Amino acid sequence: MTDSPTVSTLGYALLGLLTRHPMTGYELTQTFDISLANVWSARHSQIYPELAKLQAAGLIVQTESGPRGSKRYAATDAGTEAVRRWLRTPPPAELMRSERLLRVFFFGMLPPEEAAALFRAEAARHRERLEHHLATAELIPPAPGPARLGRIALEAGIRFERMMTEWADWAAAEIQR
Amino acid sequence: MTDSPTVSTLGYALLGLLTRHPMTGYELTQTFDISLANVWSARHSQIYPELAKLQAAGLIVQTESGPRGSKRYAATDAGTEAVRRWLRTPPPAELMRSERLLRVFFFGMLPPEEAAALFRAEAARHRERLEHHLATAELIPPAPGPARLGRIALEAGIRFERMMTEWADWAAAEIQR
DNA sequence: TGACGCATGTAATCCGTTACATGATTAT
DNA sequence: ATAATCATGTAACGGATTACATGCGTCA
């Protein structure tokens, strides 16, 4: 802790959630499955060991022992400060990695009609996700509050799915020109 | 090879490129750095062992030995068929994982003015990438040909960066309302 | 002859997924 | 009773990055 311990992105995600209010590993797992699914994902098998690391680094503390051996953790002051430092550090360049877009590169190996059908299927999929995101957005109160930033992140998802739907429709037409 | 050997996404990417024309590992590495950088990335340290696997599986063959010990590979018929089968198999659900969007969730821990500045920086970054993509698109001949699908994939990148630029500008304004 | 680019490989490590494993509490 | 859900953990494995390591060919 003398020279900042390296914390993974998952670590910061957990830490960030724990600055809001104390949670158990189980609750954190659910949060990843539901509200954070859009932007990051993690399984319990990765979460529990990571919590142990954060605790060892003094960034979180266990505040409570519940039934069934559940443990509730909260961020320490050092943990909260670590998240702020993380937010202020320019994020590393993210390199794109999309198997779906990679496949597009090789669609020329299929008959044009088949390639167009794959694009149309892709458009349908994105349209479905768009509907789902729009329904989720309906549930978020427009008033300022803790859900505000979540709504802003969701907006990126909405615009992304809308964009990809239009792109795939365009590509299907383009390939048959 | 009796029951199809499992090929990773990287393997299919290499295989797909090798169906077009024979290449060395070095050339493949460069292709990932340049023309495929948008959709997938790989380092030489991952590429060379993967080529060995593909060769062992009979999906590629070495066609030539060049200077400095370079080896040129080409896809076999079995390899070409494997790529087609891959393209026809519905791709697995891709889960979103963006550290940049994850950070947004926690921007509430910073003063609104600072959060807005982070969004504006993000917008600037996407605007830059958009310009870069547009310049790349200029270089691609509009005529039909092998670059056609590459142009379609690039179009997704162009629309993505434009969308994210607008989103980040919107978010910067939204957070200061 | 020295620097740079071509060219290929291996090793250590990290991150993430799947599968394995166990047990407590609550509702039917 | 027993099924579902809550709750936590470990192990095996695969994919990817970084660092280590080496050597040939060309050009200034």
Side-chain angles (χ1 to χ4, degrees):
Chain A
M1 243 195 61
T2 45
D3 53 344
S4 51
T6 47
V7 176
S8 66
T9 301
L10 171 62
Y12 284 117
L14 295 170
L15 212 37
L17 290 172
L18 292 177
T19 60
R20 296 184 178 172
H21 50 84
M23 286 172 126
T24 67
Y26 189 82
E27 288 164 351
L28 287 162
T29 302
Q30 288 179 126
T31 304
F32 275 92
D33 284 349
I34 304 166
S35 92
L36 240 58
N38 249 23
V39 299
W40 202 264
S41 70
R43 315 260 167 223
H44 77 273
S45 62
Q46 204 184 354
I47 289 172
Y48 291 115
E50 191 66 29
L51 286 171
K53 273 192 215 168
L54 292 173
Q55 190 178 31
L59 301 173
I60 62 174
V61 282
Q62 188 186 329
T63 58
E64 193 190 322
S65 288
R68 272 160 298 198
S70 72
K71 303 174 186 176
R72 196 167 297 272
Y73 297 93
T76 61
D77 288 349
T80 303
E81 255 326 293
V83 179
R84 287 218 182 81
R85 267 201 312 281
W86 172 61
L87 293 174
R88 285 168 171 145
T89 307
E94 251 168 48
L95 21 78
M96 196 59 193
R97 181 166 272 141
S98 162
E99 181 179 333
R100 286 166 189 276
L101 276 180
L102 174 65
R103 284 166 183 242
V104 167
F105 258 84
F106 305 117
F107 276 10
M109 294 173 68
L110 301 174
E113 184 48 58
E114 200 179 341
L118 289 177
F119 278 125
R120 284 191 296 268
E122 201 60 11
R125 195 185 133 270
H126 285 293
R127 207 169 271 120
E128 227 174 83
R129 291 167 66 98
L130 172 59
E131 295 306 326
H132 184 258
H133 281 162
L134 288 172
T136 305
E138 286 291 318
L139 303 175
I140 298 177
R148 182 87 165 287
L149 276 311
R151 179 62 183 78
I152 289 178
L154 179 59
E155 179 71 20
I158 289 172
R159 293 181 186 215
F160 175 75
E161 300 299 344
R162 185 177 290 132
M163 180 278 286
M164 288 299 281
T165 303
E166 289 164 9
W167 168 80
D169 280 332
W170 166 84
E174 180 72 11
I175 206 150
Q176 285 187 305
R177 267 204 310 119
Chain B
M1 241 196 63
T2 46
D3 53 347
S4 51
T6 47
V7 177
S8 64
T9 302
L10 171 62
Y12 285 117
L14 295 169
L15 211 38
L17 290 172
L18 293 177
T19 60
R20 296 184 178 172
H21 49 86
M23 288 172 125
T24 66
Y26 190 83
E27 288 164 350
L28 287 163
T29 302
Q30 289 179 126
T31 304
F32 275 92
D33 284 348
I34 303 164
S35 91
L36 239 59
N38 250 23
V39 299
W40 202 265
S41 69
R43 317 258 167 225
H44 78 272
S45 60
Q46 205 186 354
I47 288 172
Y48 291 116
E50 191 66 29
L51 287 171
K53 274 192 215 169
L54 293 173
Q55 190 177 30
L59 301 173
I60 62 174
V61 281
Q62 188 185 330
T63 57
E64 193 190 323
S65 288
R68 272 160 295 192
S70 73
K71 303 173 186 176
R72 197 166 296 271
Y73 297 94
T76 62
D77 288 350
T80 304
E81 256 325 293
V83 179
R84 286 217 182 82
R85 267 201 312 281
W86 171 62
L87 293 175
R88 284 169 171 147
T89 307
E94 252 169 48
L95 22 78
M96 195 61 194
R97 181 166 272 142
S98 162
E99 181 178 334
R100 286 166 189 276
L101 277 181
L102 174 65
R103 285 168 183 241
V104 168
F105 257 84
F106 305 117
F107 276 10
M109 294 173 68
L110 302 174
E113 184 46 60
E114 199 178 343
L118 290 176
F119 278 124
R120 284 191 296 267
E122 201 59 10
R125 193 184 135 268
H126 285 293
R127 206 170 271 119
E128 227 174 83
R129 290 167 66 99
L130 172 60
E131 294 306 325
H132 184 258
H133 281 161
L134 288 172
T136 305
E138 286 292 319
L139 304 175
I140 299 176
R148 181 88 164 288
L149 276 310
R151 180 61 184 79
I152 289 178
L154 179 59
E155 179 70 20
I158 288 171
R159 292 180 187 215
F160 175 75
E161 300 299 344
R162 185 177 290 132
M163 181 276 285
M164 287 300 280
T165 303
E166 289 164 9
W167 168 79
D169 279 333
W170 167 83
E174 180 72 10
I175 206 152
Q176 287 189 305
R177 269 205 309 121

